[in-house]
Amino acid sequence: MQFVVICGFLGSGKTSLLLKLLSCPENFSGLKTAVVVNDFGAVSVDSKVLSPITPALAELPSGCICCQLRGDLNRTIKKLEKEFAPDLIFIEPSGVADPAGIISVLQENPGCKVKVISLVDGSRFSKLFRALRPLIESQLRLADKIIITKADLISPDILFSVKEEIKGIKPDSPILEADLKSDSGIFAVLEELTKNV
């Protein structure tokens, strides 16, 4: 089974990316997908948005799956596996989740493959990086793919600067750009996700 963890600070576009990906099931070449959503609030906004397009959805509210909800995450995965037998499980953690804790839980499942996609809001990167450097560095260092969202809202100079800052943290990771209001960049993401599944 393959897991794709989609990280990124609040507002970076995690749910928008999932909506785009899941609304094109034909692009997954017959792979069965499921989603685990982790929201902090009493009402899971993300699961309300995603539930109409995926029946195989589980939510872990009121806590962070990289620390307090580790056991719940494993139980949820086992439940999805029993009920839906997915080939690919997307995990959308809260915006403050450190992917290291999530990866360690997922690796307890024998034979699993884990990919981490980190979303970076190009329009707020510098400000967020100054305020949340350890979290954002961890999200970038552990990423297999990095996607700059809202790249269409910033100048080419700022985009270049954001890419250079990211390369300083993770020089070997491919950096994609995606405009999540359109389909720009989405098919490149899909291609990467379905490789070697």
Side-chain angles (χ1 to χ4, degrees):
M1 185 162 37
Q2 170 132 348
F3 297 95
V4 175
V5 182
I6 301 180
C7 297
F9 194 66
L10 299 167
S12 61
K14 297 187 298 294
T15 305
S16 296
L17 176 62
L18 265 175
L19 279 169
K20 288 282 183 187
L21 294 173
L22 294 170
S23 63
C24 302
E26 66 278 6
N27 292 317
F28 287 103
S29 306
L31 296 175
K32 291 168 70 178
T33 61
V35 179
V36 177
V37 175
N38 175 215
D39 270 347
F40 266 115
V43 177
S44 176
V45 174
D46 291 344
S47 66
K48 285 185 180 297
V49 171
L50 291 166
S51 59
I53 60 171
T54 179
L57 182 137
E59 59 179 307
L60 295 172
S62 304
C64 184
I65 59 176
C66 66
C67 38
Q68 302 108 308
L69 302 178
R70 291 171 63 95
D72 289 346
L73 176 57
N74 250 336
R75 283 188 289 277
T76 299
I77 289 165
K78 299 291 183 208
K79 186 170 187 271
L80 286 170
E81 198 172 1
K82 183 178 178 183
E83 292 180 7
F84 298 100
D87 305 296
L88 177 63
I89 297 180
F90 289 101
I91 298 178
E92 182 191 348
S94 71
V96 294
D98 185 335
I102 301 166
I103 292 167
S104 70
V105 173
L106 297 178
Q107 287 175 336
E108 293 171 16
N109 296 280
C112 81
K113 299 176 188 172
V114 182
K115 288 184 182 176
V116 176
I117 296 178
S118 287
L119 272 56
V120 170
D121 179 346
S123 66
R124 298 187 299 154
F125 179 75
S126 294
K127 186 187 290 186
L128 290 174
F129 190 57
R130 285 194 300 271
L132 302 161
R133 185 175 185 130
L135 172 66
I136 291 174
E137 280 190 343
S138 181
Q139 290 181 347
L140 292 174
R141 278 201 189 101
L142 292 169
D144 296 291
K145 296 287 177 286
I146 296 169
I147 301 173
I148 299 176
T149 61
K150 305 179 188 176
D152 55 312
L153 302 180
I154 56 178
S155 70
D157 287 347
I158 293 174
L159 180 58
F160 177 80
S161 174
V162 169
K163 285 182 176 180
E164 288 301 299
E165 287 195 72
I166 291 170
K167 286 177 186 173
I169 299 163
K170 182 76 185 242
D172 58 335
S173 183
I175 301 172
L176 303 173
E177 297 169 32
D179 171 5
L180 300 178
K181 290 181 182 173
S182 69
D183 288 335
S184 175
I186 297 300
F187 294 108
V189 175
L190 272 169
E191 188 180 341
E192 292 295 336
L193 291 180
T194 53
K195 262 184 199 171
N196 305 318
V197 177

